[in-house]
Amino acid sequence: MKMEVYRLISVISKTMLAGLALLVLVPAMVLAKSENAGLNQPNPNQPFVTTSIATFKYPWAIAFLPDSRLLVTEKPGKLFIVTQKGLKTEVTGIPKVYYHGQNGMLDVAVSPAFVRDHSIYFTFVEPARRLNRKTTWRSSLRGLQCQLAIGRLEAVAVGHFHLG
């Protein structure tokens, strides 16, 4: 009996606390200003500086290598290594990619142990006879050559629809 009373008091206390929180928050939400940020002028005093270093036709994903170079995918099936000075070089050994609409070469990621294993992971839509497959590969990146011998991690047959 005593335990049930304590539970009841606990439930009532939590309910009252939730009600009090609503009483405080609802008026604040009603008074919150809604604005179209697209109409705001850019602030010239940004806490960072952006500098364009390379141009791409259909960029999709970006990953940083430990030496500050960038890996950049392009939807039609290309992977580039880009230096901070803007030297853009295409990586060879990339598999054939099914590029149509939003399908194509998708994400790229660098292994946490890249310095030791040179592994990168990338996701792309792989063409197939009947159904195209969204596939994730683990590959070894040596210089500008991608060696795909490490293997496919995932392959999901999904057809010709949006996969990315």
Side-chain angles (χ1 to χ4, degrees):
M1 174 86 166
K2 214 177 207 184
M3 194 62 143
E4 290 176 16
V5 170
Y6 286 126
R7 282 189 188 146
L8 182 60
I9 290 172
S10 175
V11 169
I12 291 171
S13 297
K14 288 178 184 175
T15 304
M16 289 176 63
L17 186 59
L20 182 61
L22 280 174
L23 284 173
V24 171
L25 293 176
V26 169
M29 289 188 296
V30 171
L31 296 175
K33 181 181 174 188
S34 176
E35 68 179 73
N36 182 349
L39 300 176
N40 293 344
Q41 294 300 313
N43 181 349
N45 302 316
Q46 296 294 328
F48 53 85
V49 175
T50 58
T51 303
S52 177
I53 60 169
T55 303
F56 297 89
K57 221 174 178 181
Y58 303 102
W60 190 258
I62 186 171
F64 288 88
L65 292 168
D67 64 2
S68 298
R69 293 179 301 161
L70 310 170
L71 290 174
V72 180
T73 64
E74 277 196 335
K75 292 295 290 273
K78 294 181 179 183
L79 176 66
F80 293 95
I81 293 179
V82 184
T83 68
Q84 294 295 317
K85 295 190 187 254
L87 178 63
K88 178 174 114 176
T89 309
E90 188 172 353
V91 174
T92 61
I94 300 299
K96 187 171 175 139
V97 170
Y98 173 72
Y99 171 60
H100 178 72
Q102 293 189 14
N103 299 321
M105 178 67 87
L106 303 171
D107 203 8
V108 63
V110 176
S111 166
F114 180 83
V115 173
R116 186 179 74 249
D117 66 14
H118 300 277
S119 290
I120 62 170
Y121 302 87
F122 55 94
T123 305
F124 62 99
V125 179
E126 184 177 41
R129 269 197 183 129
R130 293 180 151 199
L131 295 174
N132 298 310
R133 294 181 292 243
K134 182 176 180 184
T135 305
T136 301
W137 277 92
R138 176 176 172 220
S139 304
S140 179
L141 181 65
R142 304 281 178 173
L144 298 174
Q145 173 70 35
C146 208
Q147 299 166 351
L148 299 174
I150 296 175
R152 178 186 289 150
L153 301 175
E154 168 193 1
V156 180
V158 289
H160 305 284
F161 304 105
H162 168 66
L163 306 174

